[in-house]
Amino acid sequence: MASERMPDEFTPAGMTEDHVDGVVIRSTGSWYDVMVGDRVIPSKVRGRFRLAEDDVTNPVSVGDRVCLRVGTDETGFITEIHERKNKLSRRAAGRRAGREHIIVTNIDRVWIIQSVRLPKPNAGFIDRILVVAKAHGIDAGLIVNKIDLACDRGSIHELYALYTGLGYPVLVTSAETGEGLNAFRDALADKTSVLTGASGVGKSSILNAIEPDLELRTSEVSDKTRKGRHTTTYVSLHPLSGGGYIVDTPGIREFGVLDIEPWELSHYFVEMKGHLEECRFPTCTHDHEPGCAVKAAVDAGEIANSRYRSYLNILGSIQQGAKDVGR
Ligand code: GDP
Ligand code: ZN
């Protein structure tokens, strides 16, 4: 979208002639903070973007790569939005109901943080996030933290083997001993990353160890206390000293939203994809149907039972969601 440049006769007074590229790291609705090199330039948007995208509440989103002109007063004027690699969005509520509200764009990877113990790994959570990521074209990876608490490393081997086998990077870390933190720091460099995981897995501890000055709202505890109240969620990108950004979102609920049809779900389970053509029915949900190649693969041990269980749970929630909205 939006690739044509603003004609020069529209150049406002005080603007330099140069276009520079930047990343939108924060938005207040009418102003956007754009990171250009190591400067943050408060910027406005050209009115035309608003008109061009009628069904979107926010034409420019956090994460957008933009082109802007910088004025002599060090404020900017966004003239162009570069094509988005992916986006997370939700349906707007209230006055703008039904419209799309983009939460964040251009995410390189979502890291699902789990811990060996306290709390123990939750396959259902992992698989749900993997599906949401896949459905949005976002790469994902797994962190197994608190490895110092493992009495026997064999206990996490299964988890490690399952997800590396599916092609997802898996890092084993300890915020306590520092194990694996360099590898994680390297994985974050020059990327825009989302960190997600239940309360207590060690998200804040890991980030504090990697980037002591970062103050993120990673805790799901604070998210829970907000439940029921309608709070606006402000998303922002935090620049990392090694390059790249961490997406700071007050909760992970955005990442749980799956707006897909039941038959689509199996397409986001990488190991199921290869079996789908062999099911007797093209719209097979791999649940109760006879002649199901996915179930056969589960029985043959080619698809892990835990993954199939997650599949059925997510399928159930999608079907329930469809009933709830009367589809
Ligand atoms: P968050 O809710 O995901 O941000 O988790 P926190 O970073 O607040 O960590 C929760 C608890 O686990 C704290 O008491 C941390 O000290 C502890 N913790 C975090 N990482 C580790 C780790 O790698 N090993 C051990 N033993 N404890 C950890
Ligand atoms: Zn099937």
Side-chain angles (χ1 to χ4, degrees), residues 275-276 279-281 284-287 289 291-295:
H275 298 282
L276 305 179
C279 290
R280 189 176 305 162
F281 303 105
C284 186
T285 59
H286 324 297
D287 175 9
E289 296 90 339
C292 173
V294 169
K295 266 194 289 183

Side-chain angles (χ1 to χ4, degrees), residues 16-44:
T16 62
E17 290 301 306
D18 294 338
H19 285 90
V20 292
D21 276 332
V23 180
V24 178
I25 60 167
R26 209 174 300 121
S27 149
T28 62
S30 50
W31 283 91
Y32 299 89
D33 281 343
V34 183
M35 188 109 189
V36 178
D38 50 17
R39 288 186 301 165
V40 176
I41 316 249
S43 302
K44 286 260 185 191

